[in-house]
Amino acid sequence: MSPSLLFIVLLGLSALAYYLGRTKALRAAAGRGDGRLHSLPVYYGAYVALWVGLPALIVVVVWLVLEPQIIHLLLSARLPAAALGLDPARLSLLIADIKNHALGGITSTTLSPELRGVADYFSSLRTAGLIGMPVLSGASAAGGLMIGWRHINPTFRARHAVERALRIVLIVASTIAILTTVGIVLSLLFESVRFFSQVSLFEFLFGIQWSPQTALRDDQVGQTGTFGAVPIFAGTLMITLIAMLVAVPIGLFSAIYMAEYASPGFRSVIKPVLEVLAGIPTVVYGFFAALTVAPALRGFGEGVGLDVASESALAAGLVMGVMIIPFISSLSDDVINAVPQSLRDGSLAMGATKSETVIQVVLPAALPGIVGSVLLAVSRAIGETMIVVMAAGLSANLTANPFEAVTTVTVQIVTLLTGDQEFDSAKTLAAFALGLVLFIMTLGLNVIALRVVRRYREKYD
Amino acid sequence: MTDILAGRALTDSTAVARLGKRHRAERRFKCYGLAAIFSALAVLAVLLVTIVGTGYSAFVQTYVQLDIEFRADAIDPQGTRLESDFRQANYAVLVRDALVAHFPDVSGRRDRRALAGLISSGADIRLLNMVLRDPSLIGTKRAVWVKASADLDSFTKGQIPRDVPEDERKVSDLQITWIDQLAAKGLVEKKFNFDFFASADSREPEQAGVLGALVGSLLTLLVTLALSFPIAVMAAVYLEEFAPKNRFTDFIEININNLAAVPSIVFGLLGLAVFLNFFGLPRSAPLVGGMVLALMTMPTIIIAARAALKAVPPSIREAALGMGASPVQTVSHHVLPLAMPGILTGTIIGMAQALGETAPLLMIGMVAFIVDVPGSFTDAATVLPVQVYLWADAPERGFVERTSAAIMVLLAFLITMNILAVVLRRRFERRW
């Protein structure tokens, strides 16, 4: 039985259990004479339904999680001695072959008779799994029904029991956020540690040569791979800087105009339209950068005698800057609006013009908030992927010329991980090391930005 | 006293000049603001005009009318009328014969191949399907509209200009004379490109469509919605209504806020390391894509849901509690239904984000070239933005307009979702 069908069946069983529990409670109450129940009848139904559905669901989920691991272990134990000497990558390839053979798919090599025996064993395991999972979850559902059913009587505090269970479910749901963070940190750290056992941390952070091609076979020469990430960091920095040079002035001036000058009607139209810029998928910006902006820049460069690469840092940076504008404008708009009116009134009363008030009074008061919004925008720019993947280059040049092609952390992660390669090579692990750097940088920027904004808020509230 | 000072200040010529200068600075400053806004709007306009300008032509497709003779000796030489025999037949011969009938003087291998290059290689499939549907066609001669090849399509749409030297364009002079002759007979026509919405990806631009990606996006979003909506609402309810104020709940809050700012590609790395390599889930599957996107959108929905719950005034809670409802009943019967419009608005916005997201899906292998429309959550699939990315990378000229057209489809969905969110907010928003 397929898992999705099983889920539906379990849902149906729970509905049935709900009906049974509710009926039994009503009958029992009617039998008692006064017709009184401790809780509303729905709670008795829900109580039994929880006993039926929840344990069975947990059984299915645990089964689905553990099954591949257990099958892998059992199959490895059955393999002939010669296969056990293989390195993990080849072993998993062999096991994949065995599984394919058992399922009637295409295998990369023809299997020896011994291995066919293992394949048959796998088929029997699979059948056992297909039968075992529904049977086990069905048994737990039946057991749950029995327990829940027996608890029901008119004095049973069903509401308390159901609410307690509900509260536990709520707590579990809110810990998913923690689990996600832990998952991100652990997976990045784990793979990065493996990377740094092959490449020294010093080389990664300070080396200026990045060519991640490693030799596929031992007899290949000249493809040892060097992992000095400085050119990548420099490229990321340059594109981010270009993006900020576009986004900060435009975003800030838009925010000032919106907050200080614009009429409410103008504001209510223009603000959502500007936010459309933030809602456009980044892949669209990437296409725009590659199709329109980059050729235009190249043509312009030819016109004035500059050599502009077709995947220049400038094109990617400019388009990314446009994408970032609404982040800066709407956050800055909020902080400028939060500056107390009394400060403006004081300044205007002293005879200052509106622009003088803005420059000399409002902006200094709003500065921490604006700095915070710029930092958030920087972190957004560093983590942005699709624009740079489509419009920036792949080769890691260490250059300060915005007309040349540079590469970024996110571009390298994508190119290292899309394509066919062994998972354990230094090349793919490098992507996780870069991901860790990216995670730490953006997290750091966010923490700083939130601190700055919060301190500012405390001052005026 | 003041009058004297004011009079002096106004007559003092340097003061007047200074005031004028300050007022000019004021006007300049205001102009900078307007210029900033309008430059941002101008870029938005250029972006949209470029996309629509390059993409609208993909919604029509050039067709050529050919008199196809469904020769029995080519389709079914043994006369078995079996479906398997129909499938093995060589329909390209029929197309070629029909073309040669128009241009009987074309000879030589190269010229014949150039002639066959006018028609899409997918025309065979169309003929096969016609025969399968109606075997009585065999032995008859019918006028059939078949798709033109991508090059001919680009040529008739004017994307391949006529006046450049022959070796710089993909359509040869000879082919142009053939096209002109066919067009003069009224046999070349541009029709609505229905196949663009009814077929999946293909290596041939004229046969590629967005259906596969649309279905992939739909499946992926279903998984995302099914996971992120209940979990996010439950988390928001717990944090806003039940959680005691302690270290643990503070820690959860910090985590949620940080997750909202983690770059999306990092979620892709998480999916690759945990879902694919550790749990061994299938690559390229909407199931895994949906799970990754669910983790990514959950913070957005939680934050929106908490804001909506916070907006419900405490008097509602107090009244319910006063009537004897338990805290759980108070929340589930009163607070949550009142907050639902706000929560749904946040959810739709989160889903729109997930629909436009590309980077994390590249990490879990949803970039594969897939010709089939995915049928289940574990089939290999791709999604709309990834399809855009794939087509943007394709070298063929015909994919440029299709990329833009796919973007238009994507934007149409995003606009619909956002309008829905706005309508929902306007319609059900309550001011307390």
Side-chain angles (χ1 to χ4, degrees), chain B residues 62-67 98 102-103 119 143-146 148 152 178-191:
Chain B
T62 311
Y63 281 79
V64 178
Q65 191 185 40
L66 292 178
D67 289 324
H102 275 295
F103 306 102
I119 302 298
V144 181
W145 285 102
V146 291
L152 172 52
W178 292 331
I179 295 166
D180 289 341
Q181 285 178 35
L182 283 174
K185 290 179 195 166
L187 299 178
V188 179
E189 210 169 87
K190 278 185 270 186
K191 298 183 175 191

Side-chain angles (χ1 to χ4, degrees), chain B residues 33-106:
Chain B
L34 269 177
I37 289 175
F38 282 110
S39 59
L41 294 183
V43 176
L44 179 65
V46 169
L47 174 83
L48 293 179
V49 167
T50 317
I51 300 288
V52 175
T54 49
Y56 77 95
S57 56
F59 294 114
V60 291
Q61 160 76 36
T62 311
Y63 281 79
V64 178
Q65 191 185 40
L66 292 178
D67 289 324
I68 303 279
E69 194 181 350
F70 291 91
R71 295 201 323 264
D73 61 313
I75 300 171
D76 190 14
Q78 269 99 44
T80 53
R81 305 281 150 157
L82 284 176
E83 197 185 309
S84 55
D85 284 348
F86 292 161
R87 284 186 188 281
Q88 277 166 9
N90 182 1
Y91 294 91
V93 173
L94 303 184
V95 176
R96 210 180 53 211
D97 290 351
L99 276 171
V100 171
H102 275 295
F103 306 102
D105 49 340
V106 174

Side-chain angles (χ1 to χ4, degrees), chain B residues 214-289:
Chain B
L214 267 180
V215 173
S217 273
L218 181 74
L219 291 174
T220 308
L221 277 194
L222 275 181
V223 174
T224 306
L225 184 65
L227 287 175
S228 64
F229 179 69
I231 295 179
V233 171
M234 287 195 288
V237 165
Y238 179 73
L239 292 174
E240 203 56 48
E241 303 287 331
F242 298 113
K245 192 90 188 118
N246 59 22
R247 280 250 180 95
F248 179 65
T249 46
D250 276 352
F251 185 57
I252 294 179
E253 270 181 50
I254 292 170
N255 264 306
I256 290 170
N257 288 332
N258 282 336
L259 279 182
V262 167
S264 59
I265 193 168
V266 172
F267 285 97
L269 289 174
L270 168 80
L272 175 62
V274 174
F275 296 145
L276 295 190
N277 288 333
F278 187 71
F279 287 130
L281 291 171
R283 275 178 80 85
S284 316
L287 176 69
V288 182

Side-chain angles (χ1 to χ4, degrees), chain B residues 102-167:
Chain B
H102 275 295
F103 306 102
D105 49 340
V106 174
S107 60
R109 256 179 110 76
R110 269 188 50 200
D111 285 355
R112 289 219 169 176
R113 182 170 300 164
L115 187 58
L118 295 179
I119 302 298
S120 162
S121 57
D124 317 1
I125 313 279
R126 171 147 165 70
L127 296 185
L128 167 66
N129 286 334
M130 283 176 71
V131 170
L132 286 180
R133 214 179 304 132
D134 181 13
S136 68
L137 279 176
I138 296 172
T140 62
K141 193 171 183 179
R142 289 290 165 94
V144 181
W145 285 102
V146 291
K147 260 188 204 173
S149 69
D151 291 336
L152 172 52
D153 188 40
S154 302
F155 178 76
T156 51
K157 286 173 183 168
Q159 290 156 352
I160 297 179
R162 213 174 253 269
D163 45 5
V164 294
E166 185 177 4
D167 50 351

Side-chain angles (χ1 to χ4, degrees), chain A residues 60-115:
Chain A
V60 174
V61 169
V62 170
W63 185 289
L64 285 177
V65 169
L66 290 184
E67 191 185 61
Q69 264 85 354
I70 290 177
I71 285 190
H72 189 93
L73 281 180
L74 288 175
L75 286 187
S76 316
R78 281 284 183 107
L79 286 177
L84 291 180
L86 293 171
D87 59 282
R90 284 177 195 282
L91 186 67
S92 60
L93 189 67
L94 182 66
I95 288 184
D97 260 357
I98 291 172
K99 287 182 180 172
N100 274 337
H101 180 82
L103 298 174
I106 301 155
T107 54
S108 63
T109 51
T110 43
L111 299 177
S112 66
E114 295 178 287
L115 290 181

